[in-house]
Amino acid sequence: MIGKLKGVVDSYGEDFVILDVHGVGYVVHCSSRTLQNLPSTGEAAVLSIETHVREDMIRLFGFRSDAEREWFRLLQSVQGVGSKVALGILSVLDPGTLATAIATGDKASVARGPGVGPKLAQRIVSELKDKAPAFASVDPALIRLTGAVEDNSAPRPVTDAISALVNLGYPQVQASAAVAAAMKQAGEEAEAKTLIRLGLRELAR
């Protein structure tokens, strides 16, 4: 199995690059984000590789980092997500942003991927939520808070504060992050109006 390729960029296609490795041209399928970050034709490039072996073909998928490759694998563990949809999601979200979106339950961001409807986005978030925090650079307190809001177990002042910020036009994830930061300052027992005031201060930074 091929795990990495190091060679020279021979040419580009719509969703692939041909990498010349010692005179052998490998067709490597990539996300548009990866293709945009690769060097020009004739320059050296290194890609982490995921090899898919089927009865009728062998297909190579290339990634700029091992983290991107790991998300490609994880995404396909969800029913309804194949290689094309996984690459589509990684075309619009880098690994860190994807991990944060899943960890915080941001279904709207995941749904930006081509071919990802609301139901599939929900399934991806639900099934990968436990795995996402390991890859996300996000405050664990925010993950706990968004989980509590989804489970309807968050304190009423917290849900009221998040709702108020969302009504002011802020995205759910930003509102939740601001309220999580406000709770650190004001404490778990803070009233909604205090959380809203501190949350707005956070959002204004």
Side-chain angles (χ1 to χ4, degrees):
M1 298 291 280
I2 298 172
K4 185 170 89 168
L5 286 175
K6 184 177 183 180
V8 174
V9 175
D10 179 86
S11 59
Y12 285 101
E14 187 178 346
D15 64 347
F16 65 87
V17 59
I18 295 180
L19 203 61
D20 185 327
V21 182
H22 303 302
V24 178
Y26 292 89
V27 177
V28 185
H29 296 270
C30 306
S31 69
S32 60
R33 181 181 292 276
T34 293
L35 290 174
Q36 287 164 9
N37 286 313
L38 286 174
S40 303
T41 302
E43 295 186 22
V46 180
L47 287 170
S48 293
I49 300 294
E50 178 76 2
T51 308
H52 281 193
V53 180
R54 302 284 184 267
E55 285 185 9
D56 56 344
M57 68 173 178
I58 297 174
R59 183 171 260 197
L60 304 179
F61 297 92
F63 308 93
R64 294 275 286 167
S65 67
D66 290 342
E68 186 183 18
R69 182 177 63 184
E70 187 60 29
W71 272 112
F72 180 71
R73 292 171 177 167
L74 281 172
L75 285 165
Q76 289 178 91
S77 70
V78 177
Q79 183 184 355
V81 180
S83 57
K84 185 175 181 180
V85 170
L87 281 184
I89 292 171
L90 290 167
S91 291
V92 296
L93 298 172
D94 63 63
T97 305
L98 174 60
T100 300
I102 292 175
T104 57
D106 183 5
K107 298 181 286 292
S109 288
V110 178
R112 286 169 51 205
V116 182
K119 286 185 179 178
L120 184 54
Q122 174 66 63
R123 195 182 308 144
I124 291 168
V125 168
S126 298
E127 293 187 20
L128 300 183
K129 193 159 190 173
D130 291 340
K131 297 169 183 172
F135 298 89
S137 56
V138 63
D139 189 340
L142 174 57
I143 296 174
R144 286 196 301 272
L145 176 64
T146 52
V149 170
E150 276 196 13
D151 298 340
N152 295 318
S153 60
R156 183 64 186 272
V158 170
T159 55
D160 285 351
I162 293 173
S163 177
L165 295 178
V166 169
N167 288 337
L168 288 172
Y170 293 101
Q172 176 88 23
V173 175
Q174 282 187 21
S176 296
V179 172
M183 284 174 69
K184 281 188 174 181
Q185 296 178 55
E188 301 280 333
E189 305 298 322
E191 294 182 5
K193 61 182 180 183
T194 303
L195 294 176
I196 294 167
R197 178 171 51 81
L198 294 173
L200 284 169
R201 192 178 296 168
E202 284 291 321
L203 291 164
R205 286 185 177 184

